[in-house]
Amino acid sequence: MRTENEDREDRIINAARKLIVHYGYDKTTVDEIAQEAGISKGAVYLHFDKKEAIFEAVFIHALKNYADKWMDLIEHDPKGGTIGGMYKNMLFALKDSPFMVAVFKQDRRVLGNYMKRPDNIFKGESFKGTRFETVKLFQEAGVVRQDLDPMIAAHIMNMLAYGLVAMDEVMETDEIPPTEAVIEGIADFMDRAMTPPNGGDSNAGKAILRKMIGSSLEKLS
Amino acid sequence: MRTENEDREDRIINAARKLIVHYGYDKTTVDEIAQEAGISKGAVYLHFDKKEAIFEAVFIHALKNYADKWMDLIEHDPKGGTIGGMYKNMLFALKDSPFMVAVFKQDRRVLGNYMKRPDNIFKGESFKGTRFETVKLFQEAGVVRQDLDPMIAAHIMNMLAYGLVAMDEVMETDEIPPTEAVIEGIADFMDRAMTPPNGGDSNAGKAILRKMIGSSLEKLS
DNA sequence: ATTTGACTAAATAAGTATAATTGGTCAAAA
DNA sequence: TTTTGACCAATTATACTTATTTAGTCAAAT
């Protein structure tokens, strides 16, 4: 069952996430986080020993939510196991999490001085290079064309994900088409460019993703 | 024939470009530009009335070079008129011009305070929205699939171009595959995703590009 | 007729002293 | 036992002064 303590820890994390997304890490004070969570600053330090630990908890939470949501979208999408389908659902899951978007963009305004820590959580192994693995596994399962450099394909996918969330830095917002339409367009491109002639087996893809995302989620909890 | 004056103006522009790319607009002084060009500062002001005018001349020059190079690559490429071909050549032309890359990225480090001018040259009509027009014309000529929102397709192309030059801001350079390979990969993606079943007529595409780039070049000289 | 470089006003940077804020602690209250 | 908020050292912001640099000019040299 859910303890009072866990509940309060969640309140701290949610308060922190909300404030960090809005004001950025540097301009969010521990006092404000405590207030937003409805407790005193001292109580915050009963849960986390440093401000940075709060940030890291926010990240773990957001990453978990993102993975959960992604997995959920995949399971409910018949085409969730094709390359375009899995990518589309990933982008849909990503775009609804401003915190994860900030992390993906390495947004200095939001991440602030946390990024200056030499041992920050993003430097760890657990959080990168997964796209390449996915493409390779998809190829082995025949969901992605064999004649395709997985390195390049993964990189193009990264570029498109980055473009989706970062394009507003270089274009006026009103010149950018609606995000939903762009995501659908990207998925269509991916399917046409990466799926083998026979179409590819969506269920095989789903099995891979369940395994991959599942094991990632395990590491987090 | 080429006058002594034109030659010196070119030297100023090249010196300025080199210094601006390296040190950025703000940290490049008119004195240094004059030195690099082998003349005195006063002489610089016989050619340009303000520092900003030098910058704008550098931009016009770089844009012209870029368009020339692009057109040249297209003419010498049998597939230069397909969507993937034209895009590939555009990216090859772009990647060799650090100044144009900085402009495309709106790189604040390089562009500096010049961007703060309310009437800066990039705000002008002549320099944006061309990708959308290209896609539409390609569609009319049957070089690009009809069932494809040109707005979305153009935006995806912009995202990929941006990703190509900006991805190093979010990834370690040594994790990024070689630019040539990425460009080839992108071109392959574009062809597979955007070309109609019949393959598309490369020459029709070339004719459009000749017209478009040609008229752009006219405006510049 | 050209070109220069010393010159100036304006902008930018560097330094400094002071005030306000903030992360983290801990004795006391609940 | 659990939670608080006053408290402090340390960081960060502010206001101000001084020093340096730089864009642009122009009388003098070439």
Side-chain angles (χ1 to χ4, degrees):
Chain A
M1 89 145 232
R2 188 158 192 74
T3 68
E4 167 71 21
N5 231 296
E6 284 170 342
D7 190 61
R8 196 169 40 229
E9 193 157 308
D10 273 3
R11 287 214 313 282
I12 296 170
I13 291 170
N14 283 323
R17 196 202 57 245
K18 201 187 290 186
L19 292 166
I20 289 170
V21 165
H22 197 110
Y23 298 105
Y25 178 79
D26 294 349
K27 288 198 187 295
T28 297
T29 70
V30 178
D31 236 329
E32 286 169 332
I33 294 171
Q35 272 193 298
E36 181 76 23
I39 54 173
S40 73
K41 187 167 63 159
V44 170
Y45 281 90
L46 298 172
H47 293 269
F48 304 98
D49 62 335
K50 320 157 135 222
K51 192 187 180 187
E52 285 139 19
I54 308 176
F55 181 93
E56 283 159 12
V58 169
F59 170 65
I60 302 287
H61 246 239
L63 184 57
K64 194 165 143 37
N65 273 342
Y66 158 73
D68 277 340
K69 184 164 184 186
W70 184 16
M71 203 57 240
D72 196 59
L73 286 170
I74 286 167
E75 294 291 7
H76 289 85
D77 180 354
K79 296 208 162 188
T82 66
I83 188 79
M86 86 92 190
Y87 196 54
K88 173 169 77 177
N89 291 322
M90 188 211 78
L91 294 177
F92 271 119
L94 179 68
K95 86 168 170 52
D96 287 332
S97 171
F99 185 86
M100 287 305 293
V101 165
V103 169
F104 189 64
K105 281 166 74 172
Q106 303 266 57
D107 189 329
R108 297 167 69 83
R109 218 216 77 235
V110 173
L111 275 30
N113 283 325
Y114 177 79
M115 287 304 286
K116 290 184 186 148
R117 281 187 62 89
D119 56 340
N120 78 59
I121 198 168
F122 308 121
K123 296 245 166 85
E125 270 312 297
S126 59
F127 182 57
K128 53 187 183 181
T130 58
R131 199 102 69 225
F132 171 64
E133 292 302 328
T134 314
V135 173
K136 261 181 66 178
L137 290 172
F138 267 53
Q139 275 185 317
E140 282 161 23
V143 191
V144 161
R145 280 169 37 224
Q146 305 283 336
D147 62 318
L148 198 64
D149 185 336
M151 203 78 197
I152 303 296
H155 189 67
I156 291 175
M157 291 170 84
N158 276 329
M159 285 164 66
L160 286 169
Y162 183 61
L164 187 74
V165 297
M167 211 56 196
D168 59 347
E169 271 157 39
V170 79
M171 275 177 83
E172 298 296 326
T173 314
D174 60 329
E175 290 174 329
I176 299 176
T179 308
E180 274 81 9
V182 176
I183 292 178
E184 297 286 354
I186 293 174
D188 182 56
F189 268 52
M190 304 307 295
D191 271 335
R192 288 176 189 274
M194 295 179 72
T195 303
N198 67 38
D201 178 4
S202 175
N203 286 324
K206 280 196 191 185
I208 294 168
L209 293 172
R210 260 183 227 115
K211 214 170 182 177
M212 285 196 65
I213 302 177
S215 77
S216 293
L217 282 173
E218 265 175 46
K219 282 188 213 153
L220 296 178
S221 54
Chain B
M1 93 142 227
R2 186 156 192 79
T3 67
E4 167 70 22
N5 231 293
E6 285 171 340
D7 191 59
R8 196 169 39 227
E9 193 158 309
D10 274 2
R11 286 214 315 281
I12 296 171
I13 291 169
N14 283 323
R17 195 201 57 246
K18 200 187 292 186
L19 292 167
I20 289 171
V21 164
H22 196 110
Y23 297 105
Y25 178 79
D26 294 349
K27 290 200 185 293
T28 297
T29 71
V30 178
D31 238 329
E32 287 168 332
I33 294 170
Q35 273 192 295
E36 180 76 24
I39 55 173
S40 74
K41 187 166 63 161
V44 170
Y45 281 91
L46 298 171
H47 292 270
F48 304 99
D49 61 335
K50 319 156 134 223
K51 190 187 179 187
E52 284 139 19
I54 308 175
F55 180 93
E56 281 158 13
V58 169
F59 170 64
I60 301 287
H61 247 238
L63 184 57
K64 195 164 141 39
N65 273 342
Y66 158 72
D68 277 339
K69 184 163 185 187
W70 185 16
M71 200 61 238
D72 196 59
L73 287 170
I74 287 167
E75 294 292 6
H76 290 86
D77 180 354
K79 295 207 164 190
T82 66
I83 189 78
M86 86 91 190
Y87 195 55
K88 173 171 74 177
N89 291 320
M90 189 209 79
L91 293 178
F92 271 120
L94 180 68
K95 87 168 169 51
D96 288 332
S97 171
F99 185 86
M100 287 305 293
V101 166
V103 169
F104 188 65
K105 279 166 77 172
Q106 304 265 55
D107 190 329
R108 299 167 69 84
R109 218 217 76 235
V110 173
L111 273 30
N113 283 324
Y114 176 81
M115 287 303 286
K116 291 186 184 148
R117 282 186 60 89
D119 57 339
N120 78 58
I121 199 168
F122 309 121
K123 295 247 166 84
E125 269 314 295
S126 59
F127 184 57
K128 52 185 186 183
T130 58
R131 200 102 70 224
F132 171 62
E133 294 300 330
T134 314
V135 174
K136 261 180 67 177
L137 290 171
F138 267 52
Q139 275 186 316
E140 283 160 24
V143 190
V144 162
R145 279 168 37 222
Q146 305 283 337
D147 63 317
L148 199 64
D149 185 335
M151 204 77 198
I152 303 296
H155 188 67
I156 291 176
M157 292 170 82
N158 276 328
M159 284 163 66
L160 287 168
Y162 183 61
L164 187 74
V165 297
M167 211 56 195
D168 59 347
E169 274 158 36
V170 78
M171 273 176 85
E172 298 297 325
T173 314
D174 60 326
E175 291 175 327
I176 299 176
T179 308
E180 274 81 10
V182 177
I183 292 177
E184 299 285 354
I186 293 174
D188 184 56
F189 266 55
M190 304 306 297
D191 271 336
R192 288 177 189 272
M194 295 176 73
T195 303
N198 68 40
D201 177 4
S202 175
N203 286 324
K206 280 198 191 182
I208 294 169
L209 292 172
R210 263 184 224 113
K211 215 171 182 178
M212 284 195 65
I213 301 176
S215 77
S216 292
L217 281 173
E218 267 176 43
K219 282 186 213 153
L220 294 180
S221 57

